[in-house]
Amino acid sequence: MAATPGRTPQGDRKHPVDETLPPVKMFTSGLQHVAAMYAGVVAPPMIVGPACGLSPAETAFLMGASLFTAGIATLLQTLGIWKIGAKLPFVNGVSFAGVTPMVAVGKAQSPGDALPVIFGAVIVAGVLGFLVAPYFSKLVRFFPPVVTGTVITLIGVSLLPVAFNWSQGGNAEAHDYGSLTNIGMAALTFGIVLVLRRVLRGFLQQISILLGLVAGTLIAIPVGITDFGAITEADAVGFPTPFHFGAPQFDVAAIVSMCIVMLVCMTESTADMLALGKIVDRPADERTIEGGLRADTLGTALSPLFNGFANSAFAQNIGLVAMTGVRSRFVVATGGLILIVLGLCPVAASVISLVPLPVLGGAGIVLFGSVAASGIQTLATAAMDKGENALIVAASVGIGLIPIAAPRFYHDFPKDMLVVLDSGISTGCLVAIVLNLAFNHFGKRRGQPPLEVIPQQPECGAPDPRTAPAH
């Protein structure tokens, strides 16, 4: 009898997602996840803080709070309570989708009211998302391989410009942005990661990204692009005091903007869960997505209590799972605990921040490329020779690439629409869903069954994402 995907023939072993690793492996693998996501977590508060009139010290406090709340949201997602949590190796952190509307709110309000208004809107958006999660999760049947493959590919491609920006230095206004030194360090780290993946075996191969980041950082010290200022200025202990910036305020316009952001985050998280489910060989069904969305939205609703923002999935960590083959959700839960410690201990957080952005960018190219490769693998199962699936992929990828290839393409559109339009993942996902419905459901002749109504399950003998050549 053929084995069910994700289970052993005997059924007496845990699925790799539910396995625990030895303590050292658990910690180092979790730390690798934190290193991959750290810059993405602290970047939004670095942007929103100054826009709301915060001082550098207050902005640093906001960054610590974001790390702390990302850890809580990640624990909700990986460990789960009741019907909350996807119970997959799923990392949560501050969503970039909310940066633009939050900056707009910050500029429209007085400095003392900006963050309370933002936090009030985030709370309402999180509660609304939690209530609609059971209904939103039913959309999973509209995510067949032709849709999920397109979205996963767009996730990887959309993240690559982030890695390229990091490789140049991260700050376009800096005098050394795009310098040969920065790009050279990125290229060196990129090469180190590839060599480590090729020559190492077993556990060391699994943490090759972390080893590459450490090696790149050590090399960057004599080069002169490692900044130790954060360590010397950081406090040993710092707790994100509840409502540090004031009690939440509720402004209708801000609430509407953040509710739109929440729906965008839920769309992206749904796609990410479907992608991760394929990678770890535990396909995400409706119940899994419902639990994952509840964790996203509950984490979002609780974050403002500790001065955090809206949380959603971090796609770069999906690439790390695909590349390393470490599928245990407890590894990511360990990463969540590390994030909480970093939020409570600014000195420890500053050690992670020692990794120069060019070094992180070099490793990011490998990570984000792995996500795109997973999407291409999924598209290979999407019956591209049937119906109009090839046209669906072509149109969806084309629309999804607009914000990447032409960032100012939508500059004359209303600002509220930019929350969706500026996300290539969201626009590409929506186009893929609509076209799949039009061509494979509503557009079929009577008596002809629709193509790929339900996401396909991996067949026995299908390539393992951990060992496939694309990874």
Side-chain angles (χ1 to χ4, degrees):
M1 180 181 294
T4 303
R7 298 180 183 272
T8 60
Q10 296 81 10
D12 57 353
R13 289 182 55 192
K14 291 182 179 178
H15 190 283
V17 168
D18 298 319
E19 288 181 343
T20 57
L21 305 181
V24 173
K25 292 184 178 181
M26 192 85 76
F27 176 78
T28 52
S29 298
L31 183 62
Q32 188 169 234
H33 275 282
V34 173
M37 70 170 310
Y38 180 87
V41 175
V42 300
M46 288 174 64
I47 298 170
V48 175
C52 295
L54 299 189
S55 66
E58 290 174 323
T59 300
F61 178 90
L62 204 61
M63 292 163 58
S66 295
L67 290 168
F68 181 78
T69 55
I72 292 176
T74 299
L75 290 179
L76 281 174
Q77 194 67 264
T78 52
L79 302 181
I81 53 171
W82 185 56
K83 297 181 179 180
I84 299 168
K87 296 183 181 179
L88 291 172
F90 205 47
V91 176
N92 276 42
V94 182
S95 172
F96 267 96
V99 170
T100 299
M102 287 192 294
V103 168
V105 171
K107 292 180 178 179
Q109 302 289 331
S110 62
D113 293 332
L115 282 176
V117 169
I118 290 173
F119 291 150
V122 171
I123 290 173
V124 174
V127 172
L128 174 66
F130 188 86
L131 294 176
V132 304
Y135 308 100
F136 199 94
S137 63
K138 296 183 183 302
L139 298 177
V140 66
R141 71 190 190 92
F142 298 120
F143 286 81
V146 69
V147 175
T148 56
T150 299
V151 175
I152 298 166
T153 303
L154 280 173
I155 289 172
V157 173
S158 297
L159 288 170
L160 281 171
V162 176
F164 300 149
N165 180 50
W166 289 345
S167 298
Q168 295 175 86
N171 181 9
E173 304 299 323
H175 70 279
D176 63 343
Y177 184 76
S179 67
L180 289 177
T181 300
N182 287 343
I183 294 177
M185 280 305 310
L188 181 61
T189 305
F190 176 80
I192 289 173
V193 170
L194 293 182
V195 170
L196 292 175
R197 284 288 299 178
R198 179 65 182 86
V199 302
L200 296 179
R201 294 291 182 269
F203 174 64
L204 290 179
Q205 185 184 62
Q206 293 173 346
I207 62 169
S208 58
I209 291 288
L210 181 60
L211 296 177
L213 291 174
V214 171
T217 302
L218 292 175
I219 295 172
I221 294 175
V223 174
I225 63 172
T226 303
D227 183 9
F228 289 91
I231 290 182
T232 60
E233 297 173 6
D235 296 326
V237 179
F239 183 78
T241 312
F243 296 130
H244 177 81
F245 298 98
Q249 301 177 23
F250 302 97
D251 177 84
V252 174
I255 289 172
V256 171
S257 294
M258 291 310 301
C259 284
I260 294 173
V261 168
M262 193 73 259
L263 292 175
V264 171
C265 291
M266 292 172 74
T267 301
E268 293 186 359
S269 288
T270 298
D272 288 341
M273 278 183 271
L274 291 168
L276 184 59
K278 287 182 176 293
I279 289 170
V280 302
D281 195 24
R282 178 182 276 180
D285 56 16
E286 184 177 315
R287 180 179 298 179
T288 300
I289 292 174
E290 179 182 338
L293 293 178
R294 280 186 168 138
D296 270 6
T297 53
L298 179 60
T300 294
L302 293 176
S303 285
L305 173 64
F306 299 104
N307 313 286
F309 302 121
N311 286 294
S312 67
F314 263 48
Q316 53 261 52
N317 292 80
I318 295 176
L320 188 58
V321 173
M323 181 177 174
T324 63
V326 178
R327 296 184 278 176
S328 170
R329 60 190 173 101
F330 297 105
V331 163
V332 176
T334 302
L337 289 173
I338 294 173
L339 286 170
I340 291 175
V341 171
L342 295 178
L344 297 175
C345 182
V347 169
S350 64
V351 172
I352 299 292
S353 69
L354 282 178
V355 180
L357 284 180
V359 172
L360 195 59
I365 293 173
V366 181
L367 286 177
F368 306 157
S370 296
V371 179
S374 296
I376 294 170
Q377 271 192 301
T378 302
L379 286 175
T381 69
M384 299 290 282
D385 58 332
K386 296 181 180 179
E388 302 294 344
N389 281 351
L391 178 62
I392 294 171
V393 174
S396 304
V397 170
I399 296 298
L401 288 177
I402 288 176
I404 304 169
R408 290 186 52 78
F409 188 87
Y410 299 114
H411 73 280
D412 274 343
F413 282 65
K415 290 184 178 180
D416 290 342
M417 294 181 64
L418 296 182
V419 175
V420 176
L421 295 177
D422 276 347
S423 169
I425 299 170
S426 297
T427 54
C429 180
L430 292 174
V431 170
I433 290 172
V434 171
L435 292 182
N436 179 60
L437 288 173
F439 288 120
N440 291 336
H441 293 261
F442 303 141
K444 306 309 288 184
R445 294 187 297 272
R446 180 176 298 180
Q448 186 176 3
L451 292 174
E452 304 173 328
V453 177
I454 303 297
Q456 296 177 357
Q457 303 294 323
E459 297 179 359
C460 296
D464 190 327
R466 299 171 296 165
T467 58
H471 293 162

